[in-house]
Amino acid sequence: MEALPPKLRKLWKYWDIRVAILLSLILQIALIHLGNRRKHNSKLRIRIVLWCACLASDSVATFALGIISNNLTYLYEYEKSEILGPSTELTTFWAPFLLLHMGGADTITAYALEDNELWLRHLLGLIVHSAIALSVFLMAWTTGSHVSILSIPMLFVGLIKYGERTWALRSASTDKLRDSLSEEREQARPIKPPFPVCIPVINDNSNSIFSEQSKLRTAYEFLVSTKRLFFDSKPISLSEKIAESVYRYLSFENAFELVEMELGFMYDLFYTKAQFLHTRCGFALRIITFFLTSSVLILFTFLVHRNKYPEVDICITFLLLVAAIFMEIYSVFLIISSDRFVVWSSMHSKKTSILQAIKIRSSPNPRWSNKMLQLSLVSLFLDEKPLPYRHILKLLSINHKKLEKQWYLSQKQVSKDLKELIFLYFKSYNEQQVLRYYKYSDVDPESLRAPSFEEEPGESIFFWHSLTEVLYYFQRDWIKKQNKPIAGRCKSIKQISRYMMCLLLVHPSMLSIDAIDPMSFQKTLDEYRIQLKSLKVTSKTEACKKMIEKAGKSSTRRLNKLFERAIASARKIDESRETHNEKKWNDLGRNWMILMKDAARKSKGREHAQQLRRGGELYSHVWLLMTHFCLNQRYQTV
């Protein structure tokens, strides 16, 4: 008994190549459209669609190329035919388009950093697929056929696109980047910021006239030093000093914008064809591929007798040609609207109307998501958002405990108050100041018996997050009555606390520290949930008060005791009348800046590079900013 009726098999035999080529085209459109959006969009659904498209695109194109080759082989060997039918002749014309699709979109060459290390595999794929496409071209060659002649330029276009992708992957691989950094070290080219005036003259008043071109050129000059942070042990000392002198005279808005630009350049280097496209060779090849593809479309329209071919195949062919031209136009648009092109145009002092229009872009594309994840420990204890279908997930042996942390995550916009808080701390950082400020502070780690970050980094973040959460809910009414700057600062400190807790529990690799034991944390979480559920607590403020009352009566687990010590310290700070609440929060904010700085010192450049493809992380911006202030004394290699 046959699984499929003969009619269905015949139908699939007719439509298999057509469905495959259309699916390959749809995947390419998805990659082009979404490839650049993940740079500034952290939504999970975009990453899922891109991941599926990246995995499927090459496989579908290879499958379609195999069908075309198989059809030709079957025709010559089994049907003993020496003449191609109209349908077969036109479908073989699609083979070069599949090479073009395997070349990928300009907006995404690698889904993750690991893809760049597999450039040799792509080189092998280039050789094999090109050989198959060439064999298809030779087997399908028909003397005097316009379709066969038009396959030649499209074959060149496909080979160029595939070669570009392989070159881009090789250029972004770790070994190649290390080699390029070694060459740059030998040259030891100092940074020359393109300011129209001396650096010390740049102050808060002149920040307003610090143009976008100047910012981009400065960020581009710093890129040489930034690459060393991702792949080397230490930047050139002269570059460090110049970067520090520049950042000290900037406002916090311009400083963070410069960091955004630097990380944007790094994203282009790791995940796109930008490094190749912004060369004379890359731009020349774009002109060639656009000219060839446009010529094929025009010649196909006027020279090929369309009546002899199936109408559906003619429609698909036109669709492939138009889509290929659209990809070329879109590529050129990306080039001339990119930050790197603005740098190039300003360095070469081009004055054409097109360049002037680009220079004064009214709404430049966002360079990162400008959002930060949030996770509240008190919300987890209260079980405010129970994970749906928890029992079903448990039956399916799915790690529902890990999913639960993801379920509780939320996102907040990174506010100007928070950026200013971070920038001013790094700008005014001084070891003696840090030691002195604890002398008259209610948040002195020693008096509160807080865990040392150097010895117990995970527990230290856990302690200070617990203290901040409880203190915030104790003083919530007071915060609401304060003016906007004070209330905004308190909320920013709370957001930093929740952000660091999120990194600790969900993305510990970003911190590069010994995180707290997941089993121990889960037991603590379950224990407090049972307690609060039995007390029928509904509000967070009430939960904090109840947990203080129960302090010392829970189990002897280390995390439980640590949490109880944190909430006891929060009550002590809240009830203290020696200092005003505003100073307490300022001191608490300074403590979080110290924790963030110490954590960033331990982080690795590779982890920050991975986060660039997920919309970016505030932690990466802090890491780069503190490096420019020469505060990152512990440099890590990849």
Side-chain angles (χ1 to χ4, degrees):
M1 183 176 178
E2 295 178 344
L4 290 175
K7 286 186 178 180
L8 284 179
R9 282 188 293 161
K10 186 177 180 181
L11 184 65
W12 175 246
K13 180 67 177 175
Y14 180 79
W15 280 101
D16 55 358
I17 181 59
R18 294 162 181 83
V19 171
I21 196 76
L22 288 174
L23 180 57
S24 179
L25 181 60
I26 290 171
L27 290 172
Q28 287 303 306
I29 293 173
L31 288 172
I32 291 170
H33 178 62
L34 298 177
N36 213 37
R37 291 188 64 185
R38 67 173 182 163
K39 179 180 179 180
H40 55 81
N41 196 317
S42 57
K43 291 181 180 177
L44 181 62
R45 62 173 178 266
I46 289 181
R47 298 207 301 272
I48 292 174
V49 172
L50 269 176
W51 180 73
C52 294
C54 285
L55 288 181
S57 58
D58 285 354
S59 300
V60 171
T62 303
F63 173 69
L65 193 60
I67 292 175
I68 295 174
S69 178
N70 183 64
N71 288 344
L72 284 174
T73 304
Y74 181 83
L75 182 69
Y76 287 129
E77 292 186 5
Y78 295 97
E79 294 188 0
K80 305 299 181 181
S81 175
E82 295 183 0
I83 301 174
L84 295 179
S87 180
T88 306
E89 182 184 2
L90 196 56
T91 54
T92 56
F93 178 59
W94 299 344
F97 290 95
L98 294 170
L99 276 185
L100 188 150
H101 292 173
M102 290 179 194
D106 294 341
T107 56
I108 177 171
T109 54
Y111 179 79
L113 284 181
E114 293 76 13
D115 296 337
N116 295 320
E117 310 305 321
L118 302 176
W119 69 270
L120 278 173
R121 182 183 298 180
H122 285 272
L123 178 61
L124 179 62
L126 169 62
I127 296 170
V128 172
H129 293 135
S130 300
I132 296 173
L134 186 60
S135 66
V136 167
F137 167 73
L138 294 175
M139 285 192 295
W141 178 264
T142 304
T143 305
S145 170
H146 292 119
V147 172
S148 295
I149 295 172
L150 292 177
S151 296
I152 298 175
M154 286 311 303
L155 195 60
F156 277 109
V157 172
L159 290 172
I160 289 171
K161 291 286 188 180
Y162 209 152
E164 286 177 359
R165 183 185 181 189
T166 306
W167 187 93
L169 290 170
R170 176 178 176 271
S171 300
S173 64
T174 303
D175 291 339
K176 186 62 180 176
L177 281 170
R178 286 189 188 278
D179 292 341
S180 65
L181 287 173
S182 298
E183 294 173 4
E184 290 169 359
R185 182 185 289 108
E186 290 175 3
Q187 297 173 1
R189 182 177 67 90
I191 294 177
K192 296 179 180 178
F195 297 120
V197 291
C198 296
I199 291 174
V201 178
I202 299 178
N203 49 38
D204 292 335
N205 295 327
S206 61
N207 271 295
S208 59
I209 59 172
F210 191 25
S211 68
E212 185 180 3
Q213 289 180 51
S214 297
K215 294 174 193 173
L216 285 169
R217 285 188 61 185
T218 305
Y220 188 73
E221 291 289 345
F222 288 158
L223 188 60
V224 176
S225 179
T226 304
K227 281 196 291 187
R228 299 180 191 279
L229 297 174
F230 282 93
F231 288 99
D232 206 1
S233 59
K234 191 175 180 180
I236 301 172
S237 57
L238 179 60
S239 301
E240 284 185 85
K241 293 177 181 178
I242 294 177
E244 182 184 12
S245 62
V246 170
Y247 274 84
R248 284 197 178 280
Y249 289 96
L250 293 177
S251 65
F252 74 91
E253 295 101 330
N254 283 327
F256 269 93
E257 192 172 355
L258 271 181
V259 170
E260 291 174 19
M261 292 172 178
E262 290 180 62
L263 293 176
F265 285 133
M266 293 305 300
Y267 171 87
D268 293 339
L269 174 65
F270 292 133
Y271 300 109
T272 72
K273 294 181 182 178
Q275 190 177 9
F276 175 78
L277 294 178
H278 292 90
T279 62
R280 291 181 179 179
C281 179
F283 199 72
L285 287 177
R286 274 296 170 270
I287 296 174
I288 292 171
T289 54
F290 177 75
F291 174 76
L292 290 176
T293 310
S294 302
S295 300
V296 170
L297 175 61
I298 294 170
L299 293 173
F300 185 85
T301 304
F302 293 102
L303 295 182
V304 175
H305 300 289
R306 296 191 294 275
N307 294 331
K308 73 181 265 192
Y309 302 104
E311 186 177 352
V312 63
D313 291 346
I314 290 291
C315 292
I316 291 175
T317 305
F318 271 112
L319 187 62
L320 289 171
L321 284 166
V322 171
I325 292 174
F326 167 77
M327 288 166 61
E328 297 295 338
I329 295 173
Y330 188 67
S331 174
V332 173
F333 173 77
L334 287 178
I335 293 173
I336 64 176
S337 62
S338 65
D339 288 343
R340 194 180 288 257
F341 187 77
V342 175
V343 172
W344 178 85
S345 64
S346 64
M347 290 174 67
H348 292 78
S349 301
K350 301 297 182 181
K351 298 298 182 182
T352 63
S353 58
I354 297 177
L355 294 178
Q356 288 297 321
I358 295 168
K359 289 179 185 179
I360 54 173
R361 292 175 298 175
S362 57
S363 56
N365 295 325
R367 297 181 179 91
W368 76 297
S369 64
N370 202 43
K371 292 181 179 178
M372 57 193 297
L373 291 171
Q374 300 282 281
L375 182 64
S376 170
L377 191 62
V378 177
S379 296
L380 276 171
F381 286 166
L382 277 174
D383 200 11
E384 285 186 325
K385 297 190 299 182
L387 184 67
Y389 312 114
R390 190 178 294 177
H391 298 295
I392 297 175
L393 293 172
K394 196 180 293 185
L395 288 174
L396 295 173
S397 299
I398 297 175
N399 191 347
H400 67 282
K401 295 176 181 178
K402 188 174 181 179
L403 284 176
E404 186 178 47
K405 295 173 188 174
Q406 296 283 349
W407 182 252
Y408 272 86
L409 292 182
S410 61
Q411 283 190 331
K412 290 285 186 182
Q413 198 80 10
V414 180
S415 64
K416 288 186 177 181
D417 292 334
L418 180 53
K419 289 181 179 179
E420 186 177 17
L421 181 70
I422 294 170
F423 178 78
L424 292 179
Y425 170 74
F426 289 151
K427 185 177 180 179
S428 61
Y429 177 81
N430 181 284
E431 291 287 352
Q432 295 303 319
Q433 289 180 359
V434 172
L435 294 173
R436 282 200 304 267
Y437 102 92
Y438 282 126
K439 189 173 182 181
Y440 304 103
S441 172
D442 289 325
V443 294
D444 184 358
E446 291 186 6
S447 65
L448 298 178
R449 296 185 298 130
S452 168
F453 182 84
E454 291 298 325
E455 297 175 2
E456 301 163 320
E459 292 187 0
S460 177
I461 293 174
F462 179 87
F463 175 87
W464 286 106
H465 168 75
S466 304
L467 186 152
T468 306
E469 281 286 291
V470 175
L471 183 63
Y472 180 80
Y473 288 111
F474 279 173
Q475 299 190 347
R476 199 172 186 176
D477 294 335
W478 173 83
I479 293 172
K480 287 180 180 179
K481 295 176 183 177
Q482 303 307 303
N483 55 37
K484 193 173 181 180
I486 297 175
R489 196 178 308 122
C490 294
K491 289 180 180 178
S492 296
I493 295 167
K494 179 197 68 174
Q495 289 171 6
I496 281 289
S497 165
R498 292 182 175 181
Y499 179 61
M500 293 299 288
M501 191 64 185
C502 169
L503 294 181
L504 178 67
L505 294 181
V506 184
H507 300 297
S509 59
M510 277 288 290
L511 297 173
S512 299
I513 61 173
D514 296 329
I516 56 178
D517 179 33
M519 293 296 294
S520 178
F521 176 78
Q522 191 62 42
K523 289 178 181 178
T524 300
L525 181 62
D526 294 338
E527 200 166 301
Y528 277 111
R529 279 181 174 174
I530 293 171
Q531 283 187 19
L532 293 174
K533 191 171 288 186
S534 64
L535 296 171
K536 297 181 180 180
V537 176
T538 55
S539 71
K540 293 178 181 178
T541 304
E542 185 183 359
C544 294
K545 293 178 180 178
K546 291 293 183 182
M547 282 187 284
I548 285 181
E549 293 175 3
K550 292 287 182 179
K553 301 177 183 178
S554 60
S555 73
T556 57
R557 290 194 185 94
R558 183 176 177 83
L559 278 184
N560 292 57
K561 291 297 182 183
L562 190 63
F563 180 74
E564 289 170 3
R565 197 193 312 161
I567 59 178
S569 299
R571 181 175 61 177
K572 177 183 175 183
I573 294 172
D574 177 50
E575 294 175 351
S576 173
R577 301 300 177 187
E578 294 181 7
T579 56
H580 196 269
N581 285 340
E582 183 180 351
K583 185 181 184 303
K584 296 174 185 177
W585 279 95
N586 287 337
D587 292 343
L588 187 59
R590 183 181 287 268
N591 189 78
W592 274 112
M593 293 300 104
I594 295 172
L595 280 176
M596 183 177 282
K597 174 182 62 63
D598 291 342
R601 280 182 174 178
K602 296 176 179 290
S603 62
K604 296 180 180 180
R606 189 174 184 85
E607 293 298 332
H608 295 287
Q610 291 281 21
Q611 296 303 321
L612 295 177
R613 63 185 172 90
R614 301 185 181 119
E617 284 284 353
L618 173 65
Y619 190 60
S620 300
H621 292 70
V622 171
W623 170 73
L624 187 54
L625 182 65
M626 64 178 284
T627 303
H628 286 320
F629 279 114
C630 300
L631 300 179
N632 194 351
Q633 300 303 318
R634 184 180 297 178
Y635 292 91
Q636 299 282 352
T637 55
V638 178

